[in-house]
Amino acid sequence: MSDDKSIRVKVIEVTRWAPTLLSFKVTRPDGFKFTAGQFVRLGIHGKDLQYFAQNHETKLITSETQGHEAQDYEEQGYETQGQPIDLDGYVFRAYSVASSPYDEFIEFFSVVIPQGEFTSKVNHIQVGDSLLLNTTPFGYLTLARYQLPLPNDLWLLATGTGLAPFLSILKTIDVWQQYQRIILVYSARTSQELAYQAEIGSIKSIYGDNGAAFVFLPIVTREADYAGEKARIPNLIVSGKLTELVGQKLDKERSHVMLCGNPQMVEDTKEALKSIGLTMNRRGEGNIAVENYW
Ligand SMILES: Cc1cc2nc3c(=O)[nH]c(=O)nc-3n(C[C@H](O)[C@H](O)[C@H](O)COP(=O)(O)OP(=O)(O)OC[C@H]3O[C@@H](n4cnc5c(N)ncnc54)[C@H](O)[C@@H]3O)c2cc1C
């Protein structure tokens, strides 16, 4: 099995936020273009990861069936770019791009599911490892889906790694020029799992200076002594507390809303938004756009 869209990319940076949460940057394939908010398919194979080559126990499990060690791939190199790659044994998953379309690298923000076929391997990635990136970008969680004229406010509501497409959107200059206010609501289980806080803190000054006003509302759902907001996003909408916390009304006339992450949160939030009069976006019209992660 092979395809000519998958390109070998090299891991150039890994950041660990929490035991089950990490980000990684990979080299950007020549000519690879995407729109902020889109996702790609990433492929992983234990033979391309140094950990599996070095870890004796795991090597016993993987090497017999998977053949090569990471070193072999260093030697075969990344010059396989553009050539069909044998995809046998690779596990592919959808991943939103977290980096800006203008960046020279591509960044991803990943959960680790201990029994997950893909992420149990991603958990061990190190600088120098390689992954496959299918260079066809997918998805409509992008600004292009909305018809002009745009309303005043853009609400970006994320749980967990559902933050990724919004980071990419916030790292474009257009979004800051097209809206008057951008509100990012980011919910995680614990404060440790609220990743990218420093980056979010400086994002407006880098990409949106003189552009839209920015409100960032971090929320945790499972940490009893967290000093900030502890609530679920749908409840905040229905109770009207979101308006109070953000200082801005979420309404049909002036808001676009994008939701991304946990399907239950997406479903409940959609219903909460509909209950206050917002509508799903179809063919450019309506307020709400969504992306489910599983
Ligand atoms: C359009 C799209 C974009 C995606 N973008 C990302 C992304 O940017 N980052 C990312 O980590 N994942 C993303 N995912 C999910 C990703 O494709 C995988 O499901 C995830 O990496 C787990 O893979 P796995 O093989 O280890 O486990 P899987 O067998 O795929 O999933 C096992 C279970 O883990 C849970 N799960 C899956 N993904 C997540 C998650 N992100 N957070 C919390 N629990 C989860 C679900 O309960 C799922 O049933 C995206 C999915 C879709 C459809």
Side-chain angles (χ1 to χ4, degrees):
M1 195 182 27
S2 73
D3 75 17
D4 56 2
K5 287 286 187 184
S6 286
I7 298 220
R8 190 170 295 284
V9 291
K10 190 171 178 179
V11 178
I12 52 176
E13 197 177 306
V14 179
T15 304
R16 298 197 176 262
W17 305 104
T20 58
L21 216 49
L22 72 151
S23 297
F24 54 96
K25 292 181 185 171
V26 299
T27 48
R28 182 169 181 158
D30 288 346
F32 169 60
K33 290 198 176 72
F34 66 98
T35 303
Q38 285 191 306
F39 64 93
V40 292
R41 292 181 65 74
L42 286 180
I44 200 164
H45 196 310
K47 70 187 180 183
D48 297 336
L49 309 185
Q50 297 160 67
Y51 173 85
F52 291 98
Q54 287 157 5
N55 182 309
H56 182 61
E57 237 176 274
T58 322
K59 191 175 156 190
L60 284 180
I61 301 166
T62 58
S63 62
E64 220 176 47
T65 48
Q66 297 176 348
H68 309 275
E69 295 189 356
Q71 189 60 34
D72 300 334
Y73 272 73
E74 282 288 351
E75 280 157 17
Q76 285 176 25
Y78 303 96
E79 71 275 10
T80 50
Q81 278 214 6
Q83 305 293 322
I85 296 173
D86 180 2
L87 303 182
D88 230 21
Y90 278 89
V91 181
F92 277 84
R93 289 288 183 270
Y95 266 80
S96 300
V97 179
S99 44
S100 166
Y102 313 121
D103 285 331
E104 285 176 3
F105 52 84
I106 306 292
E107 182 166 359
F108 300 100
F109 178 30
S110 183
V111 70
V112 174
I113 311 285
Q115 306 307 324
E117 219 186 338
F118 189 97
T119 55
S120 59
K121 292 193 181 71
V122 156
N123 191 24
H124 297 292
I125 57 166
Q126 300 170 36
V127 171
D129 287 344
S130 72
L131 296 165
L132 299 185
L133 186 154
N134 183 306
T135 51
T136 304
F138 296 96
Y140 300 100
L141 197 67
T142 64
L143 292 187
R145 67 174 296 137
Y146 290 118
Q147 257 173 25
L148 297 173
L150 297 174
N152 291 356
D153 303 340
L154 177 65
W155 294 73
L156 304 171
L157 312 182
T159 56
T161 52
L163 177 71
F166 300 151
L167 288 174
S168 185
I169 289 172
L170 290 171
K171 289 184 218 161
T172 65
I173 292 156
D174 295 0
V175 73
W176 297 96
Q177 292 174 345
Q178 289 174 355
Y179 291 93
Q180 290 175 23
R181 257 175 307 269
I182 300 175
I183 301 106
L184 173 65
V185 182
Y186 171 30
S187 161
R189 293 180 304 184
T190 63
S191 47
Q192 192 190 20
E193 290 183 359
L194 283 172
Y196 286 100
Q197 299 266 338
E199 191 164 345
I200 293 168
S202 60
I203 212 158
K204 178 175 155 61
S205 62
I206 297 171
Y207 296 91
D209 223 8
N210 300 321
F214 184 50
V215 181
F216 173 46
L217 178 63
I219 292 176
V220 305
T221 54
R222 293 193 207 164
E223 189 175 305
D225 52 358
Y226 179 62
E229 196 48 37
K230 291 188 290 273
R232 294 184 69 246
I233 294 173
N235 299 344
L236 291 177
I237 294 170
V238 175
S239 66
K241 185 143 187 235
L242 192 57
T243 297
E244 200 183 297
L245 290 168
V246 167
Q248 187 58 41
K249 197 166 174 220
L250 172 52
D251 69 14
K252 188 179 168 65
E253 281 68 40
R254 62 182 147 196
S255 318
H256 276 161
V257 186
M258 291 185 169
L259 314 177
C260 189
N262 174 332
Q264 192 59 56
M265 167 281 195
V266 168
E267 189 52 36
D268 294 350
T269 307
K270 238 164 52 179
E271 292 310 313
L273 291 169
K274 286 183 192 167
S275 78
I276 59 166
L278 280 77
T279 58
M280 294 302 292
N281 180 266
R282 302 210 198 286
R283 294 191 198 86
E285 288 183 16
N287 314 93
I288 312 165
V290 305
E291 189 121 273
N292 284 319
Y293 268 7
W294 63 93

